[in-house]
Amino acid sequence: MIYVANLVIGFCIAVGVFFTVVTVVGILRLPDVYTRAHAASKSATLGVLGILVGVFLHFWWIKGHFSIQLLLGSVFLFITSPVGGHLMSRAAYMSGVKPTDLTVGDDLGEAIGEQKSHEED
C-alpha cells in the first residue's frame, strides 16, 4: 500500500513540476503581456495545485496528518489565480498595452466600443 501511495504522490508532484516548467517556458517565450499572463495564470495554477495535492496526500497517507490548511490553500489558489490573471490582463488592456502583431482578434475592444456607444446614447 505504501508503494501505491508513493506512486500517486510522486505522480501529483511530477505533474505539478511539469506545469510549473511550462509556465516558465511560456513566460520566457510568449510575445506579449496577454499571452504571458495566460501562461502564468493557467499553467502555474495547475502546477502549484499538483504540488499542493501531492504534499497534502503525503502528509495524509504517509504521516497520518490531515492538513485542512493545505486543502483550503489549494481551493483558494484554484479560485483566485485565474481571476487574478484575468484582472491583470484587463488592467494592461485598459492602460493601453498593445498586443503583439500576431493577435488575430480583439473581442474586448469591440465590447468596450459597444459599451461606450450605449453610454453616449
Side-chain angles (χ1 to χ4, degrees), residues 6-113:
N6 283 333
L7 196 62
V8 171
I9 291 166
F11 177 75
C12 289
I13 291 177
V15 167
V17 169
F18 172 75
F19 278 110
T20 303
V21 170
V22 168
T23 300
V24 171
V25 171
I27 288 174
L28 293 177
R29 298 284 312 231
L30 292 174
D32 63 355
V33 67
Y34 304 107
T35 53
R36 289 179 186 155
H38 177 77
S41 62
K42 305 298 188 264
S43 58
T45 301
L46 290 175
V48 174
L49 190 66
I51 292 171
L52 284 176
V53 167
V55 170
F56 171 77
L57 292 176
H58 171 76
F59 279 109
W60 187 23
W61 290 346
I62 307 297
K63 302 291 183 182
H65 175 71
F66 187 85
S67 176
I68 194 70
Q69 290 92 354
L70 280 173
L71 198 60
L72 289 175
S74 301
V75 170
F76 182 75
L77 178 77
F78 194 70
I79 293 170
T80 59
S81 182
V83 173
H86 173 77
L87 291 176
M88 285 188 287
S89 296
R90 187 176 176 95
Y93 188 87
M94 293 299 192
S95 64
V97 176
K98 298 290 181 200
T100 180
D101 294 334
L102 300 172
T103 301
V104 178
D106 187 8
D107 293 339
L108 186 57
E110 295 170 6
I112 290 173

